[in-house]
């Protein structure tokens, strides 16, 4: 790394709790969403909400979130609980800014392909059809 991360990103600030519409707006304007969980999340709704806004996710390579984020395509993964690994992934993206527009397109495409209401309806319908066919 050429410079410490804090020097590269002096504009990062803690915003605290915000109303949901503002959160979605900020999420869409963000370069990336960082999802640093050290726990086995059951899904990762926040990551999917970021994908809906075309925002890539840098997440812990752990549990369900690691299955949602495709490293190098819809975001990046780092070793859980390892701030050096997280810093390396952020630094990698900052050092290769041409990757970001493609990741943004891929994140949105992932949302469109898997997480819209019509997609969810089709998935649920398929599950019901499978269950009914077995009874």
């Amino acid at each position: 790394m050429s410079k410490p991360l804090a020097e590269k990103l002096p504009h990062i600030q803690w915003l605290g709790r915000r109303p949901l519409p503002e959160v979605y707006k900020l999420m869409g304007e963000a370069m990336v969403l960082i999802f640093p969980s050290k726990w086995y999340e059951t899904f990762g709704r926040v990551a999917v909400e970021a994908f809906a806004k075309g925002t890539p996710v840098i997440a812990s390579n752990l549990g369900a979130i690691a299955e949602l984020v495709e490293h190098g395509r819809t975001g990046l993964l780092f070793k859980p609980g390892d701030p050096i690994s997280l810093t390396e992934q952020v630094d990698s993206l900052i050092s290769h800014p041409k990757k970001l527009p493609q990741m943004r397109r891929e994140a949105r495409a992932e949302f469109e392909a898997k997480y819209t209401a019509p997609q969810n309806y089709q998935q649920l319908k398929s599950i019901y059809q499978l269950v009914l066919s077995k009874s």
Side-chain angles (χ1 to χ4, degrees), residues 57-129:
V57 176
I58 297 178
S60 301
N61 191 3
L62 180 72
I65 190 66
E67 295 178 26
L68 295 175
V69 176
E70 186 177 330
H71 186 80
R73 184 174 153 281
T74 60
L76 299 169
L77 297 169
F78 66 94
K79 185 177 174 185
D82 185 342
I84 301 298
S85 179
L86 171 56
T87 301
E88 289 169 350
Q89 296 309 310
V90 172
D91 192 51
S92 170
L93 197 53
I94 291 169
S95 300
H96 301 93
K98 291 182 180 180
K99 289 183 178 181
L100 188 60
Q102 181 63 30
M103 275 188 174
R104 291 188 80 81
R105 286 190 295 276
E106 293 292 339
R108 179 61 191 180
E110 185 77 359
F111 176 77
E112 291 288 335
K114 295 181 180 177
Y115 304 110
T116 62
Q119 288 296 335
N120 277 257
Y121 170 74
Q122 289 303 320
Q123 290 174 31
L124 184 59
K125 191 170 139 183
S126 295
I127 292 167
Y128 285 150
Q129 288 172 341

